[in-house]
């Protein structure tokens, strides 16, 4: 029993001896390295530091018990927030950190220290140390004195220059670097590469910095983040230097903001240019001064049926054909005063066909060399449709005339069939029997004359509807209007009254009588349809005007100056809404139902008037010639026609 107790006592004494020896060795190591150990239990919040910390920070042992907040309070106030952030990140994410800072004693004495800690995942404890690096800082101050002779060069440099330690801390920087990093020159040494780079780029940039230290001749592009958040694109290069016993890194950061903006603008401009050229509906080609093709767009390849590679080996004269012996590029080369020209010709296709084409050629200089840009557009449809347009126009005029007069003839057929024949027959018989009675004979003669006028009216209708060609001739417009109004009165409701405002002056024009009749009939029928079954008035006002070079009619309708007759057709209908005033002359535009109108009446009117060298417009009632001079403005539509007069 005694033997067992003695063994236990010996073992205990031996363990105590070993523990004391380990503690003594640890203290010796800490004293030698000027290190104080740290330990923080995250779960229990228990914090411990070794006694050597009091020596490093020059504090009394009984003054400050160990805690995380007490430790943070030992450091320089400007660094306390950073230290706290490092500990918080370590407790949440694990890993480790190294941070150079200063402790501050109660007497205000600063001691440069290295704070290092890491998280032990097995014990969920943080372990670390605080090391006095005052000796290193003194050596660094010596190095900075050595660097003083380089500061003059650095301060005058146009690029940002910084000096990095092998740990990534900024030791020195020129004014341009301080401006780039948005700090005062004296505070630039408080930054490290962690502070100036985006976290997503940090690992990549650390690889470049390591390459600079190893002597690799390369450069990198990155974005520098200033203290106030400004982001600046830079091109970074560096080289390793050795000052004293320290290996350092000189890093040059060149601001490439302007260069990058110019490159981006150039890229955007090129993309827009390529998009416009490639998507253009016209063929586009770039030529040298000799006419050799430098570039073409897809549309030109499609039009000619030739591949781009074939076109780039061709000359402009090889794929074009002009009536003249000289090409538009040769004309521009000889005429130094002209910068562009338009010419029509033919584009030769791969199968030998000649494609009617219009060419717009412009001359410009690129790096002192004359070049041409050519736009080619297809004229095949334009030329073929011109003849079709004239033929369709003639058919449209005739069809519209027949349609309108068919309506007139239909409305009058019943009355004329019932009245004309018996009136003419009986009036002739009675006139023979009443030769001896002058009063009776005169009345019968009036009846017969009225029937004759009705017969002439029928003849006029039939003549008007004949599909025969009519030629322009010298006509008296007032007479032609009176004849047409006689037809119009018979084809509109009796509730609508027709008024004429015209002086005794003659208005001679060179025009097609049938087409003038059609213009008056179309506008009159439109006015009558606008009034409908209500009582109303259609007014035809005719007046002579002179259009001089200052008249707004010249700028609006591009008509020459001279004497014109204006015919204004106004009605007392509901009028034309202002938002469609410019659309009522478009083909097939109508405010009526599909069964009531085709939308061709006013379109035909404008076409006829313009073919006669005139113009037509719809204007508010207050702007009409007769309403502004002779009557009070009223609601309703007003169509004004301008036709050139013949010189007396």
């Amino acid at each position: 029993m005694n033997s067992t107790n003695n063994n236990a006592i010996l073992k205990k004494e031996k363990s105590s001896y070993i523990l004391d020896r380990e503690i003594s060795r640890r203290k010796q190591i800490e004293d030698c390295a000027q290190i104080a150990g740290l330990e923080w239990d995250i779960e229990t919040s228990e914090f411990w530091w070794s006694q050597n910390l009091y020596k490093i920070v020059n504090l009394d042992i009984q003054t400050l018990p160990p805690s995380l907040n007490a430790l943070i309070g030992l450091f320089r106030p400007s660094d306390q927030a950073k230290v706290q952030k490092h500990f918080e990140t370590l407790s949440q994410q694990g890993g480790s950190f190294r941070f150079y800072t200063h402790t501050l004693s109660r007497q205000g004495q600063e001691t440069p220290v290295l704070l290092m800690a890491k998280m032990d995942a097995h014990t969920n404890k943080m372990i670390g140390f605080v090391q006095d690096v005052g000796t290193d800082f003194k050596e660094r101050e010596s190095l900075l004195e050595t660097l003083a002779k380089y500061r003059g060069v650095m301060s005058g440099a146009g690029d940002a220059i910084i000096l990095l330690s092998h740990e990534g801390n900024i030791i020195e920087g020129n004014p341009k670097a301080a401006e780039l990093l948005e700090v005062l020159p004296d505070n630039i040494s408080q930054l490290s590469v962690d502070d100036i780079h985006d976290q997503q780029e940090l690992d990549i940039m650390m690889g470049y910095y390591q390459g600079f230290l190893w002597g690799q001749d390369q450069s990198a592009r990155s974005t520098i983040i200033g203290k106030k958040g400004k982001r600046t694109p830079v091109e970074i290069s560096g080289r390793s230097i050795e000052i004293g016993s320290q290996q350092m890194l000189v890093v040059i950061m060149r601001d490439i903001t302007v260069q990058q903006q110019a490159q981006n603008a150039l890229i955007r401009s090129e993309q827009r240019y390529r998009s416009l050229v490639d998507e253009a509906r016209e063929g586009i080609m770039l030529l040298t001064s000799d006419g050799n093709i430098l570039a073409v767009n897809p549309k030109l390849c499609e039009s000619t049926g030739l591949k781009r590679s074939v076109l780039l080996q061709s000359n402009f004269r090889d794929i074009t054909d002009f009536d003249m012996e000289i090409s538009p590029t040769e004309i521009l080369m000889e005429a130094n005063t002209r910068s562009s020209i338009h010419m029509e010709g033919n584009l030769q296709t791969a199968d030998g066909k000649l494609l009617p084409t219009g060419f717009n050629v412009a001359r410009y200089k690129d790096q002192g060399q004359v070049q041409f840009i050519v736009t080619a557009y297809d004229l095949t449809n334009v030329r073929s449709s011109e003849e079709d347009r004239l033929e369709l126009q003639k058919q449209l005029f005739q069809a519209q005339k027949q349609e309108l007069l068919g309506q007139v003839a239909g409305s009058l057929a019943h009355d004329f069939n019932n009245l004309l024949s018996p009136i003419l027959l009986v009036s002739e018989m009675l006139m023979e029997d009443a030769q001896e009675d002058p009063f009776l004979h005169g009345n019968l003669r009036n009846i017969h004359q009225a029937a004759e006028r009705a017969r002439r009216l029928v003849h006029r209708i039939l003549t008007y509807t004949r599909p025969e060609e009519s030629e322009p001739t010298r006509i008296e417009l007032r007479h032609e209007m009176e004849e047409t109004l006689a037809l119009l009165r018979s084809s509109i409701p009796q509730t609508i009254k027709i008024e004429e405002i015209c002086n005794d002056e003659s208005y001679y024009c060179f025009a097609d009588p049938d087409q003038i009749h059609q213009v008056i009939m179309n506008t009159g029928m439109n006015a009558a349809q606008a009034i409908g079954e209500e009582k109303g008035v259609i007014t035809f006002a005719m007046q002579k005007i002179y259009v001089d070079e200052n008249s707004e009619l010249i700028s609006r309708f591009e008509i020459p100056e001279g004497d014109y007759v204006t015919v204004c057709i106004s009605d007392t209908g509901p009028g034309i809404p202002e938002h469609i005033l410019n659309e009522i002359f478009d083909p097939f535009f109508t405010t009526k139902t599909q069964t009531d109108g085709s939308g061709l009446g006013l379109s035909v009117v404008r076409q006829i008037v313009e073919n006669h060298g005139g113009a037509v417009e719809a204007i508010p009632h207050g702007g009409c010639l007769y309403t502004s001079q002779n009557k009070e403005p009223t609601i309703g539509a007003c169509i004004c026609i301008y036709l050139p007069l013949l010189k007396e």
Side-chain angles (χ1 to χ4, degrees):
M1 186 70 178
N2 292 332
S3 177
T4 303
N5 291 335
N6 291 334
N7 290 335
I9 293 172
L10 290 174
K11 288 182 180 180
K12 185 176 181 181
E13 291 177 350
K14 183 178 181 180
S15 297
S16 176
Y17 171 75
I18 294 174
L19 180 60
D20 291 341
R21 188 174 62 179
E22 290 296 328
I23 293 174
S24 176
R25 288 177 179 174
R26 188 194 66 187
K27 288 182 178 180
Q28 291 176 2
I29 293 173
E30 285 187 352
D31 290 339
C32 181
Q34 294 184 309
I35 291 176
L38 304 173
E39 183 178 278
W40 180 27
D41 190 328
I42 305 298
E43 294 181 357
T44 64
S45 299
E46 181 181 355
F47 201 90
W48 170 88
W49 61 53
S50 65
Q51 298 295 322
N52 207 34
L53 180 64
Y54 295 102
K55 293 181 180 181
I56 294 175
V57 300
N58 195 20
L59 287 177
D60 185 12
I61 297 178
Q62 304 299 327
T63 303
L64 191 69
S67 70
L68 178 60
N69 290 333
L71 178 66
I72 294 174
L74 295 177
F75 298 110
R76 187 165 53 186
S78 60
D79 291 341
Q80 289 179 4
K82 291 183 179 180
V83 173
Q84 183 174 5
K85 184 177 180 181
H86 280 306
F87 276 106
E88 290 177 354
T89 303
L90 189 65
S91 64
Q92 295 171 3
Q93 301 178 7
S96 63
F97 72 84
R98 289 169 58 94
F99 184 67
Y100 283 93
T101 180
H102 291 73
T103 61
L104 188 64
S105 68
R106 292 185 176 181
Q107 292 77 22
Q109 180 182 359
E110 288 191 357
T111 303
V113 296
L114 169 63
L115 173 64
M116 183 172 180
K118 72 174 184 178
M119 179 62 68
D120 188 343
H122 299 289
T123 62
N124 198 25
K125 292 182 179 180
M126 182 219 73
I127 57 175
F129 63 84
V130 175
Q131 182 180 14
D132 184 350
V133 292
T135 304
D136 294 340
F137 269 70
K138 289 179 181 179
E139 184 178 354
R140 181 172 299 177
E141 289 176 359
S142 175
L143 293 176
L144 292 178
E145 292 177 1
T146 307
L147 292 172
K149 61 182 180 180
Y150 299 107
R151 288 176 179 170
V153 177
M154 293 174 62
S155 62
D159 297 327
I161 302 177
I162 61 174
L163 185 66
L164 288 180
S165 68
H166 67 278
E167 296 93 355
N169 296 312
I170 299 178
I171 301 173
E172 187 82 9
N174 66 346
K176 190 67 178 180
E179 177 185 343
L180 183 68
L181 300 176
E182 297 184 303
V183 295
L184 296 175
D186 294 339
N187 297 335
I188 197 170
S189 60
Q190 299 177 9
L191 301 177
S192 67
V193 291
D194 295 350
D195 302 316
I196 66 175
H197 286 293
D198 196 324
Q199 291 298 320
Q200 297 178 351
E201 293 184 350
L202 185 58
D203 291 341
I204 298 175
M205 290 310 303
M206 290 302 292
Y208 278 105
Y209 290 133
Q210 189 65 47
F212 296 153
L213 284 172
W214 291 343
Q216 295 179 2
D217 187 12
Q218 58 183 346
S219 62
R221 289 195 173 187
S222 181
T223 300
I224 296 300
I225 304 175
K227 196 67 173 176
K228 298 179 181 179
K230 179 183 177 182
R231 304 175 72 90
T232 306
V234 295
E235 184 177 64
I236 300 176
S237 59
R239 59 173 298 182
S240 175
I241 62 172
E242 187 172 338
I243 301 178
S245 60
Q246 293 290 328
Q247 187 177 19
M248 300 184 185
L249 185 64
V250 175
V251 177
I252 301 175
M253 299 180 177
R254 177 169 298 171
D255 188 347
I256 58 172
T257 302
V258 177
Q259 177 184 350
Q260 197 172 74
Q261 290 175 349
Q263 289 178 347
N264 292 338
L266 182 62
I267 292 173
R268 291 193 299 269
S269 177
E270 183 178 357
Q271 289 175 343
R272 288 195 296 267
Y273 164 76
R274 290 188 179 278
S275 176
L276 288 173
V277 171
D278 291 344
E279 300 299 328
R281 299 177 61 182
E282 296 81 17
I284 299 175
M285 66 186 92
L286 184 65
L287 310 177
T288 65
S289 58
D290 298 329
N292 295 323
I293 300 176
L294 294 175
V296 295
N297 70 337
K299 182 62 179 180
L300 191 69
C301 299
E302 177 186 340
S303 300
T304 59
L306 298 172
K307 294 182 178 180
R308 187 189 298 268
S309 58
V310 176
L311 288 171
L312 295 180
Q313 297 177 1
S314 304
N315 190 280
F316 182 61
R317 294 299 299 266
D318 298 335
I319 62 171
T320 57
D321 178 72
F322 296 97
D323 295 335
M324 301 174 61
E325 293 294 331
I326 187 171
S327 71
T329 56
E330 294 169 338
I331 294 176
L332 289 179
M333 286 296 293
E334 294 181 2
N336 293 328
T337 58
R338 298 187 64 176
S339 60
S340 63
I341 190 173
H342 171 76
M343 185 179 292
E344 292 187 1
N346 297 290
L347 193 64
Q348 296 184 3
T349 62
D351 54 4
K353 294 182 180 180
L354 295 178
L355 186 68
T357 306
F359 296 92
N360 288 321
V361 184
R363 179 181 58 194
Y364 73 100
K365 283 190 176 182
D366 182 20
Q367 298 181 354
Q369 299 294 323
V370 175
Q371 294 184 351
F372 299 95
I373 185 167
V374 181
T375 304
Y377 55 94
D378 191 357
L379 294 178
T380 304
N381 295 333
V382 175
R383 293 183 180 177
S384 61
S385 62
E386 184 65 24
E387 297 179 359
D388 296 340
R389 186 187 65 81
L390 294 175
E391 182 63 27
L392 289 174
Q393 177 181 314
K394 186 183 298 182
Q395 295 176 4
L396 180 62
F397 289 163
Q398 186 63 30
Q400 183 68 18
K401 182 174 68 174
Q402 290 176 349
E403 178 186 355
L404 291 174
L405 290 180
Q407 297 175 3
V408 175
S411 65
L412 298 177
H414 179 72
D415 293 339
F416 283 132
N417 288 335
N418 292 334
L419 298 176
L420 279 181
S421 296
I423 290 175
L424 287 171
L425 179 61
V426 173
S427 62
E428 288 179 356
M429 293 174 59
L430 292 176
M431 285 176 61
E432 293 179 358
D433 295 337
Q435 294 288 341
E436 297 179 359
D437 188 346
F439 176 78
L440 181 59
H441 186 271
N443 290 333
L444 291 172
R445 186 174 64 251
N446 291 336
I447 295 173
H448 189 269
Q449 288 177 351
E452 285 291 342
R453 284 197 298 270
R455 184 169 62 182
R456 287 195 299 272
L457 181 62
V458 173
H459 177 72
R460 189 179 296 116
I461 294 174
L462 294 176
T463 302
Y464 184 62
T465 56
R466 290 193 188 101
E468 60 184 14
E469 291 287 335
S470 179
E471 295 293 334
T473 184
R474 183 176 183 270
I475 64 171
E476 206 285 303
L477 189 61
R478 186 161 58 89
H479 173 72
E480 298 296 333
M481 187 174 74
E482 289 174 354
E483 284 195 353
T484 308
L485 292 182
L487 292 176
L488 184 62
R489 285 188 177 94
S490 303
S491 59
I492 63 176
Q494 295 182 356
T495 55
I496 300 175
K497 181 182 178 182
I498 295 179
E499 290 184 355
E500 296 180 57
I501 300 176
C502 184
N503 52 31
D504 296 331
E505 189 176 358
S506 297
Y507 304 96
Y508 289 98
C509 300
F510 186 73
D512 185 329
D514 287 347
Q515 291 188 0
I516 295 300
H517 291 172
Q518 187 173 359
V519 168
I520 297 173
M521 285 294 293
N522 280 14
T523 52
M525 289 298 294
N526 264 19
Q529 291 174 359
I531 297 173
E533 300 298 330
E534 303 292 334
K535 289 184 179 182
V537 178
I538 303 175
T539 304
F540 289 80
M542 185 178 294
Q543 183 175 334
K544 179 180 178 180
I545 63 171
Y546 178 74
V547 177
D548 59 20
E549 61 181 1
N550 298 322
S551 174
E552 62 174 358
L553 295 177
I554 292 181
S555 60
R556 278 170 33 213
F557 303 112
E558 298 182 358
I559 58 177
E561 59 179 303
D563 291 321
Y564 286 78
V565 58
T566 65
V567 182
C568 293
I569 301 95
S570 302
D571 61 73
T572 57
I576 304 173
E578 290 189 9
H579 66 277
I580 64 170
L581 277 177
N582 297 326
E583 298 179 293
I584 62 174
F585 296 102
D586 294 339
F588 307 108
F589 178 84
T590 179
T591 57
K592 309 180 185 71
T593 62
Q594 294 183 352
T595 57
D596 292 337
S598 62
L600 295 174
L602 292 180
S603 174
V604 171
V605 168
R606 182 174 68 175
Q607 189 65 50
I608 292 175
V609 173
E610 290 179 351
N611 287 345
H612 284 77
V616 60
E617 66 174 336
I619 60 177
H621 236 294
C624 178
L625 288 173
Y626 88 91
T627 57
S628 61
Q629 297 179 6
N630 304 316
K631 291 187 175 183
E632 291 294 327
T634 60
I635 61 172
C638 181
I639 305 296
C640 279
I641 299 167
Y642 307 91
L643 290 172
L645 289 173
L646 287 174
K647 295 182 180 179
E648 297 181 1

